[in-house]
Amino acid sequence: MIPKSEGVLESSLYVNDVSVSVRFYEKIFGLQVISDFGERGCAMRCGDRQVLLLFKKGGSRHIQSPHDGDGELHLAFAIPASELPAWETWLAENGIVVEEKRKWELGGESVYFRDPDRHLVEIATPGVWSIY
C-alpha cells in the first residue's frame, strides 16, 4: 500500500540573481520571504501551505548540496476566474509581456508569461484540470 502524502509542499526555481527574483515574486504575487539562506537563496510563502524556493544557480556547489539546477522551468499559480481580468491588467501595468492565453476544454483559462530568469509562469483559473 502506498503511504499517505499531503501533496506538494515546496517547489524550487534556480535563478541568476536571487534579489531580482525575490522582488519580482514579492511585487507580482505578493509572496513573502519566510527564510533566508544567505547567498544560496531563500524560501517564500506561496499560499497557505506551499513554499517557493529560490536558489542561486551554482550557489550550493561549495557545500556539496544536491540543490542546484538550470534551464527554464514552469510553475502555475491558481487564481479565481473572477480575478483573471484584474490579473491581465496588473501584468500589463507592470510591463509583463503575456506570451500566451489559452482556454481549456473544461472551461479554465491560463495566461503565460516569463519571470526574470525566463521561467514560464502561468496563472490558471478553475477548469484547467479535472481536479482544479
Side-chain angles (χ1 to χ4, degrees):
M1 181 186 296
I2 298 173
K4 184 179 178 181
S5 168
E6 295 186 0
V8 176
L9 173 63
E10 58 189 37
S11 296
S12 299
L13 294 177
Y14 299 91
V15 300
N16 290 313
D17 187 323
V18 174
S19 62
V20 168
S21 293
V22 165
R23 284 192 302 274
F24 176 84
Y25 286 98
E26 283 176 335
K27 180 177 183 178
I28 300 305
F29 290 99
L31 304 188
Q32 299 171 322
V33 173
I34 58 172
S35 185
D36 188 334
F37 312 144
E39 292 181 15
R40 287 186 54 226
C42 69
M44 301 187 82
R45 180 182 179 157
C46 183
D48 292 333
R49 292 183 49 183
Q50 293 108 12
V51 175
L52 175 62
L53 299 170
L54 300 175
F55 286 110
K56 175 145 181 66
K57 289 181 185 176
S60 297
R61 289 184 188 139
H62 67 284
I63 61 168
Q64 297 181 340
S65 171
H67 292 283
D68 198 16
D70 202 358
E72 297 173 5
L73 304 175
H74 167 70
L75 72 156
F77 289 84
I79 65 167
S82 61
E83 290 291 310
L84 184 59
W87 268 103
E88 290 178 310
T89 299
W90 177 245
L91 295 173
E93 288 173 355
N94 283 280
I96 295 176
V97 176
V98 170
E99 289 194 5
E100 181 183 4
K101 293 182 191 178
R102 179 171 292 184
K103 186 159 183 114
W104 300 98
E105 64 183 51
L106 297 175
E109 295 183 70
S110 294
V111 174
Y112 298 88
F113 53 94
R114 299 283 176 172
D115 79 356
D117 288 275
R118 296 207 31 82
H119 296 300
L120 185 63
V121 180
E122 174 185 359
I123 52 173
T125 68
V128 170
W129 297 104
S130 62
I131 60 170
Y132 173 71

